[in-house]
Amino acid sequence: MRKPACLAAVGLVALLAATAPVGAQTVTVGTATPSFGNCIPFGCPALFNLTRYQQVYASSAFSGLGAISINGLTFFNSPGIGFFANAAFTIFFSTTSAPVNGLSSNLGSNVGGNNAQFAAFATTGSAVGGAFNVWGSPFLYDPSGGNLLMDIFVNALSDTFSGVALDSDLSGSVTTRAFVSNGIGTLDPPFAASPGLVTQFSYTITPEPEALPLLGVGLLALGLVWWRRRAS
């Protein structure tokens, strides 16, 4: 009589393992164009009197992932040389209804209702290297709810710009940008001049809400099997 109960519990645990959060994974949005990069927003903010930068990512770029918890960003610098500007940045994420190639020059109107601060940091003329990583507070993103908006507020102290142009995607199909320069919202034309930064997201998979009651049932079943063994 114990064996079927044990097998049922083991089977339930196996099912729970399939729905439990997994280790960190990555997905990269955008494809770098050789010999082309962007100094906005991290390389030359003072040069453009930059105060705010937004980038929208198509939900289709996260297709098949389900709800994810974003905890890290990587931007790439193919030449591997150059220095950051002297500036401070605060990054927010939200789920937005604004489409790729459809950001408003009124940047505030692009922000979604679940807007949350992801990270705050400063760059002080340090060397960039081949990759630039930002780690922050996990942001829960469900692609079924809309596109992903990265909203960066910039305090550009001074530029120490030395050829830093991070890898950008010219396709205009999975990411585009908008920014505030000299206090005016700016939209680039929806083609090569409108590239968003190629971005690698580090994330963990978030279990579906219906998996949580299943977890409780599984623990209860295991506890019952253990109690029966003790009682016998």
Side-chain angles (χ1 to χ4, degrees):
M1 293 296 292
R2 298 192 192 99
K3 188 173 182 180
C6 289
L7 290 177
V10 170
L12 190 55
V13 170
L15 181 59
L16 287 170
T19 58
V22 298
Q25 303 180 56
T26 61
V27 59
T28 300
V29 181
T31 302
T33 301
S35 304
F36 185 89
N38 237 329
C39 72
I40 294 176
F42 301 112
C44 55
L47 183 64
F48 290 89
N49 293 313
L50 189 71
T51 57
R52 191 175 184 182
Y53 172 95
Q54 287 184 346
Q55 184 165 323
V56 61
Y57 302 88
S59 59
S60 60
F62 303 87
S63 178
L65 298 182
I68 61 175
S69 182
I70 298 170
N71 49 53
L73 307 172
T74 300
F75 304 101
F76 301 97
N77 175 31
S78 292
I81 57 175
F83 297 86
F84 280 118
N86 183 16
F89 303 90
T90 306
I91 299 178
F92 292 80
F93 278 118
S94 66
T95 304
T96 181
S97 58
V100 173
N101 283 314
L103 288 173
S104 169
S105 58
N106 175 12
L107 270 59
S109 67
N110 299 320
V111 177
N114 61 343
N115 189 49
Q117 182 174 321
F118 176 73
F121 59 94
T123 54
T124 54
S126 55
V128 178
F132 165 40
N133 297 306
V134 178
W135 301 100
S137 301
F139 176 77
L140 179 62
Y141 172 58
D142 186 349
S144 67
N147 294 331
L148 179 66
L149 183 74
M150 178 174 67
D151 193 7
I152 305 178
F153 290 84
V154 185
N155 180 15
L157 303 177
S158 65
D159 278 348
T160 54
F161 177 60
S162 181
V164 176
L166 299 179
D167 292 358
S168 301
D169 175 38
L170 299 185
S171 70
S173 61
V174 291
T175 183
T176 51
R177 70 181 185 181
F179 57 89
V180 174
S181 177
N182 292 313
I184 301 173
T186 300
L187 293 175
D188 294 326
F191 47 90
S194 168
L197 299 177
V198 175
T199 309
Q200 179 179 278
F201 293 89
S202 175
Y203 68 90
T204 55
I205 295 176
T206 302
E208 296 296 331
E210 56 267 24
L212 298 180
L214 185 60
L215 176 61
V217 172
L219 293 176
L220 181 61
L222 287 175
L224 183 59
V225 170
W226 176 85
W227 179 83
R228 284 180 175 177
R229 281 189 168 185
R230 294 277 294 181
S232 63

